[in-house]
Amino acid sequence: MSTNRHQALGLSDEEVLDMYRTMLLARKLDERMWLLNRAGKIPFVISGQGQEATQIGAAFALDREKDYVAPYYRDMGVVLAFGMTSRELMLSAFAKAEDPNSGGRQMPSHFGQKKNNIITGSSPVTTQVPHAVGFALAAKMEKKDFVSFVTLGEGSSNQGDFHEGLNFAGVHKLPVITLVENNKYAISVPYEKQIAAEKVSDRAIGYGMPGYTVDGTDPLEVYQVVKEARDRALAGEGPTLIEAISYRLTAHSSDDDDRVYRNREEVDEAKNKDGLYRFEAYLEECGVLTEDAKSNYIKEIDQIVNDATDYAENAPYAEPESALKYVYEE
Amino acid sequence: MPVMSYIQAVTSALKEEMQRDEKVFVLGEDVGKKGGVFRATDGLYDEFGEYRALDTPLAESAIAGVGIGAAMYGMRPVAEMQFADFIMPAVNQIISEAARIRYRSNNDWNCPITIRAPYGGGVHGALYHSQSVEAVFANQPGLKIVMPSTPYDAKGLLKAAIRDNDPVLFFEHKRAYRLLKGEVPEDDYVLPIGKADVKREGSDITIITYGLCVHFALQAAEKLAEEGIDAHILDLRTVYPLDQEAIIEAAKKTGKVLLITEDNKEGSIISEVAAIISEHCLFDLDAPIQRLAGPDVPAMPYAPTMEKYFMMNPDKVEKAMRELAEF
């Protein structure tokens, strides 16, 4: 039996099982969306497969009642953990009126849901970094005990908004946690053609904040580093930059063919280190996840995904003229 | 009623709004301790402290973007771009983000930010301290663009911008800051965004303009009145979205329309005003719509000869008004 690492982090068996279940749900929803796309039922998918461990580890280290998240487009795991439902995600995939992210206005995975503290996002990358810093500035000004949490890919960390936002947060010691989900590719361009520094986290020193690089396929490692960052932020010690290294198991999106720029051996090797199944193995080894429980989860999630798909497929689109609404306050 | 300069009106609007609502704060380069390079935020640091008169790093996209984040949270940020010319690094934040937040979230989120910036030339500012940038933003539904012409309007409209639940760009003519003075009430008042204002009633020709050019048109109108030419002057005040009703009414009133902007001519605010008049007033017009604008060169040169050539002034306006009256 392997060492119980989660207890040492203060995580109960129930909590780690909840983490596992959420990771599995994110994976299964994502896989279903690809099937729906290939079947011609939804026009577009952009995936988080391979990054669930990073996303769930981080989200569970936050206060999901109080903290605000500014996710990027691969963060299905983060938004599930923050309360978005499977039906809601499918409504977005099908661009239906009831989609809480945008009512079918935006492409899927452009998350936003005020009641769950999920800040609305766009397609130009990294614009969300200054927004998260703005939420953290508000927390400091209003003396509120929440942090903001923002994610992005490693390629996006080249954008000016990354630099401008993190520098601002560093100068004013704001309670914001920036998580770079380094999945090693910005569409087709690998890390070494994007960033000259050895690690994304090396950049932290320039912004006057601590920087950490962790294994993004290990949810417990991510949990720990985010938890510590959150504690520092609430203690007034300012922001943290975290880089979690994982691998993008799918093509960039449903419109991309990754065979053009990376070989199958590399992808297969990454699949062998898939964080979801490694966490599953860990939970089995320490006796937290039984064979019965696992098959119950799989059955339950299969039902949830089917229900979400049916519900969203049958839901109505927005009325055409509703395209005119909500340009300004009404 | 006290007389105030245009910039004093701006400062007093900021100060009163910050006193009224603790969520209101200003952020930008040099807006804190120094009180702004033009002194628009003078005294706010002393009265409201470091965070409500926040000196930011020199990075315009962060000034806009951090403000947008704070606004989504529920604050009322008033971000300052030191010069309108330097707003360009923040365009992605303003257009891709602020303008679209309500729409893209299907009304779930909104972004009540005000972004102030001094614009305009005639101050030896050369290419990058003289520009009018309103046309860059004037086809972006979701934004409102306000450009007041008087101290009274500046105060009432800035208060309205701060209280507005959507993003407002607020462009102040930097030459107007100390050139223009006027009566400004001491008590709280708010002017409506989206409404043009008749600055002079007249019956012979209609002038439609905004910003400092309103002042030039008023000066020219007084001179032409001595010659028996009676000009009707409509101040757009909000240049996006435009007050179509007021434009149509003003154009129909005299049937002779002169549109004026300090900006380059092609694709300017007055191009859209001309289109509105063509659509709605063809059979009411007694002369072709006239446009008086800056030349289509990138921006205003530094040397006084060339600057004067580019810059709008009362003489150019007077000449164009007389020609139209005589048509």
Side-chain angles (χ1 to χ4, degrees), chain A residues 102 105-106 113-114 118 120-122 127 130-131 134-135 138 140 142 161 164 172 323 325-329, chain B residues 23 51 54 59 61-62 65-66 69 73 92-93 97 102-109 142-144 165-166:
Chain A
S102 78
R105 291 175 173 204
Q106 294 221 73
Q113 191 176 31
K114 198 172 194 176
I118 302 165
T120 172
S122 62
T127 50
H131 300 172
F135 274 77
K140 183 164 184 170
E142 303 265 289
D161 272 352
E164 293 195 17
H172 291 288
K325 288 171 77 87
Y326 309 133
V327 179
Y328 300 102
E329 185 178 35
Chain B
K23 305 269 184 204
Y51 274 88
L54 185 62
S61 188
V66 173
Y73 173 75
N92 193 33
Q93 283 291 346
E97 301 300 319
R102 186 186 291 281
Y103 189 80
R104 77 182 187 213
S105 69
N106 204 25
N107 211 32
D108 193 27
W109 289 91
L143 291 181
K144 298 176 183 180
N165 288 326
D166 289 302

Side-chain angles (χ1 to χ4, degrees), chain A residues 147-201:
Chain A
V147 307
S148 63
F149 170 75
V150 58
T151 61
L152 62 150
E154 79 286 355
S156 299
S157 76
N158 294 321
Q159 288 282 355
D161 272 352
F162 179 81
H163 174 72
E164 293 195 17
L166 265 62
N167 181 60
F168 194 116
V171 166
H172 291 288
K173 285 205 172 305
L174 301 179
V176 53
I177 301 167
T178 303
L179 175 71
V180 174
E181 298 185 24
N182 180 354
N183 63 17
K184 301 188 180 148
Y185 284 89
I187 302 190
S188 67
V189 181
Y191 182 89
E192 57 275 14
K193 294 273 172 63
Q194 286 284 348
I195 295 163
E198 191 192 332
K199 303 193 294 287
V200 175
S201 62

